């Protein structure tokens, strides 16, 4: 279609563009939009187009133009984002300035962006974890807009166009940082502390953002000398359109401001052109004089669905007081990312139901060390095979009822008189004494359905003989942080394997990725079974011995603090990576 015959007057007027820009659209940008659509259609998934350009090069206008063309001509949903919108707030930059270097109060350089927020926003858009809130930055007041002004994306997006002046920039060698490149660096960063911090941030954190980009576009300025004129023109445009003018820069302020960008801009002009897919070379008037193309090869994306299977006592819940306050922010973030947290515990159905209310958790749960799986009716579109419907749940039972195991215990009691106590034997008062639970919680703990907890109080050697006797009678014994659990041939590993397959059957277009979290021996089976394992340190007993060495993290802290620490480490390390392995430095 001939783009010159399409009415672009509204777009040109909105962006205050000269009529001649329409010719540039027709000659250069409409074909680029066609190509982007072709790549997106071939990939069969949302894609990200990254646009690099120096200050004032026209990258924001190009991003808006591509969105307009993709939506109006190709009838797909597109969204334009700026790396600028992910600047830290002014208050956050002031803290950086006070703690690291005063120059970090000025927005712009790597280290002044909220990269985790940018990665999460893009990942949510790619994986259609809707709604997605898009932050916006107000340059007129040098601060992020309040959260209520964030743009809310409620529908899937096909193409995301991300533009930024340092998008794709590469860190420099230590030697290249020694000499200042301008007066700002020589007078205000004489020891190189600021530029080394910026370079370190660019090396450590920005590549994880850049690797999300599928197609790279660069608007290449002739040199850094013309950037000042372009940026001054941009500032004047901002002044004319803004009511809050007190933060708009004049010529002298701008001359200092662009010095913050000089080092990285010059390095990017040298290193990035050979790496991009579509290189538009500009003259000093921002007219395109040459296009060099290296079309990308895009692979279809397999959507990953994380499943977190977690022990409760001593892991998500504090060993001493059962609190989980330190994990609340992480739990909220997981829920926002649609990552189910599935309790896998020695606790009873009644206990877990109360905990789920406290956790605001509506996902399936596994009770009594893998004896049964409870799935809320309607959680999946179809009832899973081999389940029964009972009291609002689809129920999968792996073992015989509690009465069977109580009978086995009583048959062996005479040889071990006085060595142990069972929950059934001590009643509510005894459970309170052994656990510190209140009367209501103790009553819920007493409502076992599939096994019997035992508190061993006697000789350690006899304990092992007792375990052997029950095992020979057909029972399975699991030792937790506080109690032994006598039940049938079940374990947490088998239960999570079954439930993971149920998730996979219900979501055939997604790849399930499982994380198991535990602190004691009765968690061993699921820690070995899951794709990733997180061992939580205990204040009262050593870590359980497990055989795996891959994709294993051991927390630094205990209880819910260690839980949050480990989950964030694993999810943040792997969520945006195609590699199934954790870096070796993260192994326990």
């Amino acid at each position: 279609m001939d783009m010159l015959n399409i009415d672009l007057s509204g777009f040109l007027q909105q962006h205050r563009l000269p009529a001649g820009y329409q010719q540039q659209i027709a000659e250069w940008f409409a074909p680029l939009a066609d190509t982007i659509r072709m790549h997106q259609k071939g990939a069969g998934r949302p894609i990200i187009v990254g646009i690099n350009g120096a200050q004032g090069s026209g990258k924001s206008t190009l991003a808006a133009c591509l969105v307009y063309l993709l939506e109006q001509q190709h009838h797909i949903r597109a969204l334009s984002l700026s790396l600028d919108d992910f600047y830290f707030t002014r208050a956050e930059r002031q803290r950086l300035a006070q703690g690291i270097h005063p120059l970090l109060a000025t927005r712009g350089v790597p280290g002044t962006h909220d990269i985790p927020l940018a990665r999460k926003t893009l990942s949510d858009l790619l994986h259609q974890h809707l709604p997605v809130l898009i932050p916006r930055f107000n340059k007129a007041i040098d601060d992020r807009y309040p959260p209520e002004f964030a743009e809310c994306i409620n529908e899937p997006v096909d193409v995301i166009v991300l533009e930024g002046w340092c998008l794709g920039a590469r860190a420099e060698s230590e030697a290249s940082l020694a000499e200042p490149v301008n007066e700002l660096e020589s007078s205000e960063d004489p020891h190189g502390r600021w530029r080394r911090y910026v370079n370190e941030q660019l090396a450590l954190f920005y590549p994880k953002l850049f690797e999300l980009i599928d197609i790279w576009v660069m608007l290449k300025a002739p040199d850094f000398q013309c950037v000042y004129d372009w940026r001054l023109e941009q500032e004047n445009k901002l002044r004319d359109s803004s009511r809050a003018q007190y933060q708009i820069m004049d010529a002298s302020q701008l001359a200092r401001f662009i010095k913050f960008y000089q080092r990285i801009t010059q390095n990017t002009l040298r290193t990035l052109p050979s790496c991009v897919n579509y290189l538009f070379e500009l003259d000093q008037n921002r007219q395109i004089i040459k296009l060099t193309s290296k079309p990308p090869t895009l692979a279809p994306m397999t959507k990953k669905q994380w499943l977190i299977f977690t022990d409760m006592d001593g892991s998500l819940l504090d060993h001493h007081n059962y609190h989980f306050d330190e994990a609340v922010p992480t739990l909220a973030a997981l829920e926002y990312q649609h990552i189910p947290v599935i309790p896998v515990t020695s606790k009873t159905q009644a206990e877990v139901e109360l905990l789920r209310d406290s956790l605001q958790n509506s996902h399936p749960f596994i009770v009594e060390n893998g004896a049964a799986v409870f799935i809320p009716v309607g959680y999946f579109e179809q009832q899973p095979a081999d389940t029964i419907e009972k009291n609002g749940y689809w129920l999968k039972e792996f073992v015989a009822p509690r009465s069977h195991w109580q009978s086995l215990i009583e048959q062996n009691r005479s040889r071990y008189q006085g060595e142990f106590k069972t929950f059934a034997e001590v009643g509510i008062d005894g459970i309170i004494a052994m656990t510190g639970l209140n009367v209501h919680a103790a009553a819920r703990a007493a409502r076992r359905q599939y096994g019997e907890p035992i508190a061993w109080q006697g000789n350690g050697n006899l304990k092992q003989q007792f375990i052997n006797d029950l095992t020979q009678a057909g029972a399975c014994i699991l030792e937790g942080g506080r109690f032994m659990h006598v039940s049938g041939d079940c374990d947490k590993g088998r239960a999570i394997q079954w439930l993971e397959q149920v998730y996979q059957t219900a979501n055939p277009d997604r790849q399930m990725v499982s994380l198991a979290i535990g602190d004691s021996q009765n968690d061993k089976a699921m820690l070995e079974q899951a794709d990733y394992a997180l061992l939580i340190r205990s204040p009262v007993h050593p870590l359980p011995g497990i055989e795996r060495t891959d994709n294993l993290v051991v927390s630094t802290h205990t209880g819910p603090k260690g839980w949050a620490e480990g989950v964030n480490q694993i999810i943040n390390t792997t969520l945006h990576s195609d590699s199934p392995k954790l870096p070796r430095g993260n192994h326990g």
Side-chain angles (χ1 to χ4, degrees), residues 107-128:
R107 70 177 190 264
V109 295
T112 62
H113 301 94
D114 190 337
I115 294 301
L117 176 61
R119 287 175 55 197
K120 182 183 184 307
T121 301
L122 291 172
S123 179
D124 284 347
L125 290 168
L126 287 174
H127 294 87
Q128 299 177 6

Side-chain angles (χ1 to χ4, degrees), residues 293-446:
S293 300
K294 292 189 297 184
T297 301
L298 305 186
M301 177 174 63
T302 301
K303 297 178 181 178
K304 294 182 180 180
Q305 174 62 63
W306 276 90
L307 305 174
I308 296 182
F309 297 98
T310 182
D311 172 56
M312 304 302 282
D313 289 7
S315 297
L316 180 55
L317 305 180
D318 184 273
H319 177 85
H320 299 292
N321 58 27
Y322 291 90
H323 292 171
F324 56 89
D325 296 1
E326 291 167 308
V328 167
T330 300
L331 288 166
L334 293 171
E335 188 67 22
Y336 181 78
Q337 295 178 70
H338 304 277
I339 297 176
V341 175
I342 301 161
V344 186
T345 176
S346 61
K347 292 183 177 297
T348 65
Q349 174 190 351
E351 290 177 291
V352 178
E353 286 176 331
L354 185 67
L355 281 171
R356 287 169 77 243
D357 288 342
S358 300
L359 293 163
Q360 298 182 330
N361 183 305
S362 59
H363 302 293
F365 56 95
I366 298 170
V367 302
E368 301 188 36
N369 292 311
V373 180
F374 288 78
I375 303 171
V377 169
Y379 185 84
F380 299 110
E381 289 188 5
Q382 296 184 341
Q383 180 175 349
D386 199 25
T387 62
I388 60 173
E389 185 170 333
K390 183 178 180 180
N391 298 327
Y393 294 101
W394 290 323
L395 177 61
K396 169 66 175 177
E397 297 176 311
F398 291 94
V399 299
R402 180 185 188 185
S403 58
H404 175 79
W405 311 112
Q406 288 175 325
S407 176
L408 283 184
I409 293 169
E410 292 307 314
Q411 291 171 22
N412 287 273
R413 179 180 289 276
S414 60
R415 295 181 56 192
Y416 305 97
Q417 200 66 39
E419 299 290 330
F420 65 87
K421 298 287 186 181
T422 68
F423 268 28
E425 176 184 357
V426 301
I428 302 298
D429 290 340
I431 294 173
I432 292 172
M434 288 190 289
T435 64
L437 297 172
N438 62 41
V439 64
H440 300 293
R444 286 186 289 270

Side-chain angles (χ1 to χ4, degrees), residues 19 23 27 39 42 99 141 159 201 266 277 284 319 372 385 391-392 406 412 455 473 517 540 561 570 576 582 586:
Q23 179 62 37
E27 184 176 357
H39 287 308
I141 62 172
V159 176
Q201 298 298 299
Q266 289 178 331
N277 303 114
Q284 292 187 348
H319 177 85
N391 298 327
Q406 288 175 325
N412 287 273
I517 307 172
V540 295
K561 186 174 183 179
I570 293 171
H576 306 294
L582 284 171
N586 291 336

Side-chain angles (χ1 to χ4, degrees), residues 170-282:
R170 299 185 177 185
E172 297 181 75
S173 67
E174 178 66 22
S176 67
L177 300 174
E179 294 298 322
V181 299
N182 55 36
E183 183 183 355
L184 176 79
E185 290 190 357
S186 61
S187 62
E188 299 186 49
D189 186 38
H191 304 295
R193 185 180 178 188
W194 170 72
R195 55 187 181 267
R196 285 184 173 84
Y197 176 81
V198 170
N199 197 62
E200 179 184 67
Q201 298 298 299
L202 185 57
L204 292 178
F205 302 109
Y206 284 66
K208 273 292 183 182
L209 175 67
F210 299 161
E211 71 182 15
L212 297 178
I213 294 173
D214 297 290
I215 299 174
W216 284 92
V217 179
M218 183 179 188
L219 297 175
K220 182 179 181 293
D223 51 47
F224 189 73
Q225 296 301 316
C226 63
V227 174
Y228 171 79
D229 293 333
W230 292 354
R231 189 62 176 81
L232 181 60
E233 178 184 330
Q234 189 180 62
E235 201 72 11
N236 290 334
K237 190 175 180 180
L238 182 63
R239 177 183 292 107
D240 293 342
S241 63
S242 176
R243 295 179 181 177
Q245 297 184 12
Y246 56 89
Q247 286 291 334
I248 306 300
M249 290 179 283
D250 59 26
S252 61
Q253 291 172 322
L254 181 60
R256 179 179 183 274
F257 181 71
I258 65 167
K259 289 183 172 66
F260 285 79
Y261 298 79
Q262 183 174 347
R263 173 180 291 276
I264 292 176
T265 298
Q266 289 178 331
N267 188 52
T268 301
L269 290 174
R270 290 191 299 267
T271 60
L272 189 60
S274 62
C275 303
V276 300
N277 303 114
Y278 300 97
L279 175 66
F280 293 93
E281 297 185 45
L282 309 180

Side-chain angles (χ1 to χ4, degrees), residues 89-106:
T89 64
R90 188 193 301 178
E92 289 169 328
R93 284 181 280 119
Q94 287 295 335
R95 285 194 288 271
L96 286 175
Q98 294 168 8
I100 299 172
H101 195 286
L103 290 179
L104 291 172
T106 301

Side-chain angles (χ1 to χ4, degrees), residues 5-21:
N5 294 328
I6 295 176
D7 183 12
L8 294 170
S9 58
F11 176 82
L12 298 176
Q13 183 177 2
Q14 178 185 354
H15 295 275
R16 303 174 64 202
L17 298 168
Y21 194 83

Side-chain angles (χ1 to χ4, degrees), residues 45 290 426 529:
R45 60 173 175 84
K290 184 180 179 181
V426 301
Q529 172 65 38

Side-chain angles (χ1 to χ4, degrees), residues 1 3 6-8 11 64-78:
M1 182 178 293
M3 289 299 300
I6 295 176
D7 183 12
L8 294 170
F11 176 82
C65 179
L66 290 175
V67 168
Y68 179 86
L69 294 172
L70 290 167
E71 291 193 332
Q72 299 300 317
Q73 297 304 307
H74 296 283
H75 308 292
I76 62 174
R77 286 185 56 81

